[in-house]
Amino acid sequence: MSRAALLVLADGRFPAGGHAHSGGAEAAVKAGRISGAAGLEEFCRGRLHTAGLVSAALAAAAVLGVDARELDAAADARTPSPALRAAARKLGRQLTRAARATWPSDELDALAREFPKGAHQPVVLGLAARAAGLEAVDAAYCAAYESVSGPASATVRLLSLDPFDATGVLARLAPELDRVAGLAVEAARRVTEAGVEALPAASAPLLEISAELHAAWPVRLFAS
């Protein structure tokens, strides 16, 4: 295992398409729920403990060898919004392309054949981490961090928020990110014994509703 591979996978410049998505931040900014660093922190905290936890557990379970089709179906069941499901698959397709070029693997090749339109991004993330020789906890950290770093980066563009303030938000959330990653790995290990029903299903209804409204905007800066 090369832990340095985690730096490559988690790097915002890795060509996986995440820069085009705000993780719900664009809709939250327009609705006035994010107007500065304090609002961004609350938004990211909520996202981390809901969508972030679910994504981290899915990614960790994929590293542990849980069947990708079962995990993809579980991700679908935990994503009520059609707009968010479409975004997750689009991101998954892009990540599959990037991961296959970076860490060639039979499992990633099989995933691309099984899901030509893309599997859910966290599932692909887990298999990419597995192909890179990383562990379940690495994938969990990567998924959890993505759940907050994307909105933080997007808010800098949307509000011209000071990048130092946005980075401060991420730093203050670090202890909670540690806890979420730990919970995700625990859940993933239970999946290997009890099935995908053991995965967390933390919901964020406002994110789902906002995603549907955002998808209908005629003009928007981010895809989701």
Side-chain angles (χ1 to χ4, degrees), residues 71-124:
L71 290 175
D72 191 77
D76 250 1
R78 287 159 175 77
T79 313
S81 162
L84 286 184
R85 289 199 297 270
R89 292 192 180 283
K90 185 175 182 179
L91 284 167
R93 184 170 65 250
Q94 179 69 14
L95 179 55
T96 301
R97 289 181 61 198
R100 290 174 74 194
T102 310
W103 300 289
S105 126
D106 290 342
E107 285 185 318
L108 288 172
D109 291 344
L111 189 75
R113 291 192 297 271
E114 181 78 19
F115 297 96
K117 294 184 178 180
H120 274 263
Q121 193 267 358
V123 180
V124 181

Side-chain angles (χ1 to χ4, degrees), residues 10-26:
D11 192 332
R13 292 163 294 188
F14 189 69
H19 65 280
H21 296 259
S22 76
E26 185 169 23

Side-chain angles (χ1 to χ4, degrees), residues 39-53 147-148 173 176 180 202-204 207:
L40 173 63
E41 185 166 346
E42 289 307 306
F43 178 86
C44 287
R45 177 172 288 110
R47 198 167 193 279
L48 173 63
H49 288 279
T50 53
L53 173 61
S147 75
V148 293
L173 289 173
E176 294 178 57
V180 166
S203 63
L207 279 178

Side-chain angles (χ1 to χ4, degrees), residues 157-174:
R157 296 172 62 186
L158 290 162
L159 290 176
S160 296
L161 184 69
D162 189 328
F164 295 141
D165 290 338
T167 301
V169 166
L170 297 178
R172 287 191 293 277
L173 289 173

Side-chain angles (χ1 to χ4, degrees), residues 121-205:
Q121 193 267 358
V123 180
V124 181
L125 177 62
L127 288 179
R130 183 178 167 99
L134 296 171
E135 298 177 353
V137 67
D138 299 312
Y141 265 104
C142 190
Y145 181 68
E146 281 183 353
S147 75
V148 293
S149 62
S153 176
T155 303
V156 170
R157 296 172 62 186
L158 290 162
L159 290 176
S160 296
L161 184 69
D162 189 328
F164 295 141
D165 290 338
T167 301
V169 166
L170 297 178
R172 287 191 293 277
L173 289 173
E176 294 178 57
L177 198 150
D178 286 336
R179 290 195 291 275
V180 166
L183 289 171
V185 173
E186 289 176 11
R189 296 194 187 285
R190 289 196 297 273
V191 170
T192 62
E193 301 172 357
V196 294
E197 292 79 7
L199 286 167
S203 63

